[in-house]
Amino acid sequence: MSLRAATALVGAYDTTVGVVPGVTPTELCAEAIRGAVADAGLELGQVDGLITCNAMAQPIMYHAEAMAEYLQLFPKLCLTLPTGGGTTVSALAHAAAAILAGEVETVVLAMADSLRSGLSRDQAMRMQSATGHPDFEQPYGPTVPAYYALIAQAHMARYGTLPEHFARVAVDTRAHAARNETAQKREPVTIDDVLSSRPIADPLHLLDCSLVSDGGAAVVLTRADRARDFARPPVYCLGFGEGHSHEHISQARDLTSSAARESGAAAYAMAGVGPGDLAFAQLYDCFTPTVLAELEDLGFCAKGEGGAYLASEGMGPGARLPVNTHGGMLSHCHPGNPGAMFALTEAVRQLRGECGERQVKNAEAGLVHAQGGIMSSHATLVLGREV
């Protein structure tokens, strides 16, 4: 059985993002679930599946079950998936498989966290320092930005990529965010602004790094043959793919290539499309070099040509391939594991034609790509307005 076009997204919701004090991750998650269900024109009691991801600022041992209890939901499927930044797409594939198998009919996928308001600086730094390999990385004290700086340095050394090329990612995502009234950062920036911002880990500067945010989002997934009975136009899941290359960056076989090649190829094959058939891409942009590598590995340009592609084509409003039309993690928000959820809800709205000033013309199909770890686990989703 193929997952191609077996399911469709019929509801989507984002909470307020940025700094949201006095609201717990549980409350943000509950708001997102209620909002997505209402967007689909459903009642909570009509949901028979719930998938969530635990919150760093308010961890609960059985998170999905706790959220179901909080909302007085009694689903057949209740699952917590803590697979880092790639959870959004991986969880959606699990939900689609459960629906196709007849286990459930309507699943809500929801994530929320309060990294900005719910963690002290010391707590955040302790969590960050625990990400590396306990023997080969943690003893040397690198931060998460330092791991991604290794990827940037490798690309620069092998292909002649420049810091200006990475900076273009931040500039163009901010240009998208300027058109999105919900984005955390909307003031335009220039390449010089990025390069003159505070150094973080050579060659990365502050504006090369994603935001730290509060926020939550949720979507509703159901069987494709039911999708047109809902309140909103359906958005069909045409192709899924995953790829896993390593867990710790010190064990990566190649710092300039990623398993996005495998995840993208699988998603394209299932959907029956290629990179040139897509109107937009929502790419995981925790740091600017991530986007450059993903553009190459997902086939939007050749390996090693990401810098030249960004310099000539760009990815902002009006580009041949607009990327992160909501502003991405660099400018819209990044509450940790839920970060890619906002890429998914943005893709749904783009394909519904609901994005106003930032609406991409002729948006019939688009891509969402998420990754977890340090370019470790990759998951790709192709979405479309029609089957």
Side-chain angles (χ1 to χ4, degrees):
M1 294 187 294
S2 172
L3 293 180
R4 186 189 185 282
T7 56
L9 292 156
V10 294
Y13 183 86
D14 296 346
T15 72
T16 299
V17 301
V19 184
V20 190
V23 183
T24 67
T26 294
E27 290 167 332
L28 287 170
C29 194
E31 178 191 339
I33 292 169
R34 292 190 184 103
V37 170
D39 186 62
L42 295 173
E43 300 292 334
L44 283 173
Q46 295 174 276
V47 173
D48 57 359
L50 178 64
I51 300 179
T52 70
C53 180
N54 219 327
M56 297 181 189
Q58 191 184 31
I60 302 172
M61 183 174 291
Y62 304 109
H63 189 270
E65 289 84 351
M67 289 308 309
E69 177 184 75
Y70 186 93
L71 291 165
Q72 286 299 281
L73 283 172
F74 305 97
K76 298 176 184 176
L77 172 68
C78 205
L79 184 63
T80 304
L81 284 180
T83 56
T87 301
T88 293
V89 175
S90 295
L92 201 66
H94 281 282
I99 290 170
L100 185 60
E103 183 180 354
V104 288
E105 287 194 341
T106 305
V107 179
V108 173
L109 167 60
M111 298 183 217
D113 215 331
S114 300
L115 296 193
R116 185 68 178 268
S117 299
L119 293 176
S120 68
R121 182 177 177 83
D122 286 346
Q123 287 174 317
M125 290 304 295
R126 281 198 299 271
M127 291 175 62
Q128 189 178 128
S129 65
T131 58
H133 193 289
D135 297 321
F136 305 127
E137 295 170 15
Q138 288 184 25
Y140 303 97
T143 61
V144 171
Y147 296 135
Y148 281 91
L150 289 173
I151 294 167
Q153 289 283 6
H155 208 282
M156 292 167 67
R158 182 172 295 181
Y159 299 114
T161 310
L162 301 173
E164 288 84 351
H165 296 143
F166 301 132
R168 180 67 183 268
V169 174
V171 170
D172 284 359
T173 50
R174 184 63 63 88
H176 285 302
R179 300 180 174 203
N180 182 2
E181 62 183 13
T182 69
Q184 188 174 340
K185 295 289 186 181
R186 301 184 64 197
E187 307 81 4
V189 296
T190 66
I191 288 176
D192 285 344
D193 289 333
V194 178
L195 298 181
S196 61
S197 62
R198 179 162 56 90
I200 301 296
D202 189 27
L204 303 183
H205 297 79
L206 181 64
L207 294 179
D208 286 297
C209 306
S210 58
L211 303 171
V212 179
S213 315
D214 305 331
V219 295
V220 179
L221 187 75
T222 194
R223 289 200 328 262
D225 61 0
R226 302 177 64 228
R228 294 196 181 277
D229 297 333
F230 289 79
R232 301 285 190 179
V235 172
Y236 296 95
C237 298
L238 302 181
F240 294 95
E242 292 194 39
H244 305 271
S245 56
H246 61 275
E247 170 54 23
H248 301 98
I249 194 66
S250 62
Q251 311 305 308
R253 291 173 293 177
D254 187 344
L255 291 176
T256 62
S257 295
S258 75
R261 293 175 301 179
E262 288 74 27
S263 67
Y268 294 145
M270 184 185 293
V273 304
D277 299 313
L278 304 172
F280 61 83
Q282 315 295 353
L283 305 183
Y284 202 88
D285 62 335
C286 50
F287 297 91
T288 55
T290 310
V291 176
L292 189 148
E294 289 166 343
L295 285 168
E296 295 176 348
D297 292 337
L298 292 166
F300 296 112
C301 62
K303 175 53 65 180
E305 295 181 4
Y309 174 88
L310 287 166
S312 62
E313 297 279 352
M315 47 179 256
R320 178 166 59 89
L321 181 77
V323 175
N324 294 349
T325 52
H326 59 315
M329 300 175 183
L330 290 164
S331 288
H332 177 263
C333 77
H334 189 14
N337 289 336
M341 282 295 298
F342 298 93
L344 178 58
T345 56
E346 172 70 8
V348 170
R349 295 189 183 102
Q350 284 288 348
L351 292 169
R352 288 176 178 176
E354 297 174 347
C355 290
E357 184 184 3
R358 69 181 190 278
Q359 179 64 46
V360 175
K361 294 180 181 179
N362 304 315
E364 297 294 327
L367 178 142
V368 177
H369 182 78
Q371 68 94 11
I374 312 300
M375 292 294 279
S376 308
S377 299
H378 292 258
T380 308
L381 168 67
V382 176
L383 296 169
R385 288 170 54 89
E386 301 294 337
V387 176

